[in-house]
Amino acid sequence: MLIYYADHYVLPLPAGHRFPMRKYAALRERVASIAADRMRVPAAATDAELARVHDADYLRAVIGGTLDAAAQRRIGFPWSAAMVERSRRSAGATLAACRSALDSGCGVNLAGGTHHAHRAHGEGFCVFNDAAVAARAMQAEGRAARVLIFDLDVHQGDGTAEIFADDASVFTCSLHGRGNFPFRKAASDLDVELADATGDDAYLATLRIALERALDQSRADLVIYLAGADPYAGDRLGRLALSKPGIAARDRLVLATLHDASMPVAVAMAGGYAENIDDIVDIHFATVATALELFAATQPITPMPSPSGIHPDAIIAARVAKFVV
Ligand SMILES: [Zn+2]
């Protein structure tokens, strides 16, 4: 079981921006305290991998920095070459986590879950849809025929639903707050809408039914689990009211069910916007700790590859120069 991180590919944001970029480095440091030997930097998703999911004109505009102002605002980040590279790495991390899952039962991306990225536009801090890119990559590599994307971020996975609307080989399931963004919901294969202020017990009872149904209907070879931290009661953007122990119970229910079914699972962290960054990190860290407890206890670790020694800035500059779709 390997754990992928790319927070050193920093996405530069103006002061006061509401995206909690700091959570990623803090989470990586916490996870390193218990599993440093399992942590890896992912390869960036390639143009070909992205193009299996996203519209070529959209990719050309994102990568070349020519999105119009409205499209850029919809994403919510200012454009930079570093934004593109970070988004590629985040997609690459979920892709690598899927390979780890298929090899060993589980893999983790300490970022990802950018489920508002549609085929031809980005939205809500999401540039590329990492779960979609990873699902299509595993299919293209012949490693999985059918994939379940199980999305427990508090916001609906509308981009993922749109991308796979006409694709019966990828089953999309989203449990989300009815009152949360996006206000015009897309149609997943299975949507479960929860009322404002839904708490632990009602959430877990609903989850148990949805998980069983999604596993049954998807007939998947691989699950990509979006373990959002934003169903938390203290989240600024989420409208549900789960406690930290409630979210930990959610993760245990999902991961233990998959473990017992010998179903490979790649976990992405997805959203988290609590006022206090430590709360978000606590929740994500607990997700990773549960995955380690269930999947890593008896596994050997593959040797660490030697670092390339190339500075991230040099990689970003080279990539912008040579983009082709
Ligand atoms: Zn979210």
Side-chain angles (χ1 to χ4, degrees):
M1 172 181 161
L2 298 176
I3 299 170
Y4 292 90
Y5 66 96
D7 61 89
H8 54 305
Y9 286 90
V10 176
L11 190 165
L13 292 176
H17 193 284
R18 69 181 178 150
F19 190 81
M21 198 56 69
R22 277 194 305 118
K23 82 171 181 180
Y24 296 104
L27 176 62
R28 190 227 324 131
E29 284 165 21
R30 278 281 288 280
V31 172
S33 73
I34 59 165
D37 50 356
R38 295 183 184 275
M39 297 175 71
R40 305 283 187 276
V41 176
T46 64
D47 295 344
E49 285 163 346
L50 297 173
R52 288 194 192 108
V53 167
H54 293 290
D55 174 77
D57 288 337
Y58 172 64
L59 287 176
R60 206 169 283 120
V62 170
I63 294 166
T66 59
L67 282 175
D68 66 35
Q72 196 66 50
R73 260 200 312 278
R74 207 166 175 189
I75 289 173
F77 296 139
W79 188 88
S80 61
M83 180 204 81
V84 178
E85 183 66 17
R86 184 181 167 84
S87 303
R88 281 187 192 272
R89 294 278 166 176
S90 187
T94 298
L95 202 160
C98 285
R99 290 201 186 104
S100 172
L102 289 160
D103 290 341
S104 72
C106 187
V108 174
N109 176 4
L110 295 183
T114 45
H115 58 171
H116 302 307
H118 289 62
R119 192 183 72 83
H121 77 267
E123 192 160 345
F125 308 138
C126 301
V127 180
F128 305 135
N129 193 311
D130 61 307
V133 169
R136 287 254 160 94
M138 292 307 100
Q139 292 179 321
E141 292 173 16
R143 303 202 58 177
R146 303 183 58 86
V147 181
L148 165 61
I149 299 179
F150 196 68
D151 188 339
L152 299 189
D153 189 279
V154 81
H155 304 99
Q156 194 207 24
D158 58 341
T160 319
E162 182 233 37
I163 288 164
F164 295 114
D166 299 316
D167 183 343
S169 70
V170 178
F171 191 95
T172 55
C173 175
S174 177
L175 248 84
H176 50 265
R178 180 184 303 137
N180 270 116
F181 175 91
F183 302 109
R184 243 191 30 224
K185 308 281 194 281
S188 312
D189 292 303
L190 177 59
D191 282 303
V192 181
E193 303 217 306
L194 298 161
D196 286 5
T198 296
D200 295 345
D201 292 347
Y203 185 96
L204 292 169
T206 307
L207 168 60
R208 197 166 277 117
I209 297 165
L211 177 59
E212 193 179 320
R213 192 171 301 174
L215 282 171
D216 188 45
Q217 293 185 4
S218 64
R219 295 178 287 117
D221 315 306
L222 168 70
V223 175
I224 301 175
Y225 171 36
L226 275 60
D230 48 13
Y232 177 51
D235 195 87
R236 286 175 299 146
L237 304 184
R239 302 183 65 91
L240 302 186
L242 274 68
S243 66
K244 285 185 191 176
I247 297 179
R250 172 200 74 173
D251 291 335
R252 184 166 295 278
L253 172 56
V254 173
L255 294 171
T257 299
L258 298 176
H259 180 266
D260 293 351
S262 300
M263 175 67 73
V265 57
V267 188
M269 295 299 109
Y273 309 92
E275 194 67 54
N276 184 348
I277 295 260
D278 292 341
D279 287 335
I280 313 173
V281 174
D282 285 349
I283 293 167
H284 288 319
F285 176 73
T287 304
V288 179
T290 300
L292 283 163
E293 179 199 318
L294 288 165
F295 289 92
T298 57
Q299 284 174 11
I301 298 159
T302 47
M304 182 81 89
S306 55
S308 71
I310 302 170
H311 191 273
D313 290 347
I315 295 172
I316 293 166
R319 185 111 50 204
V320 170
K322 74 166 187 49
F323 167 70
V324 276
V325 164

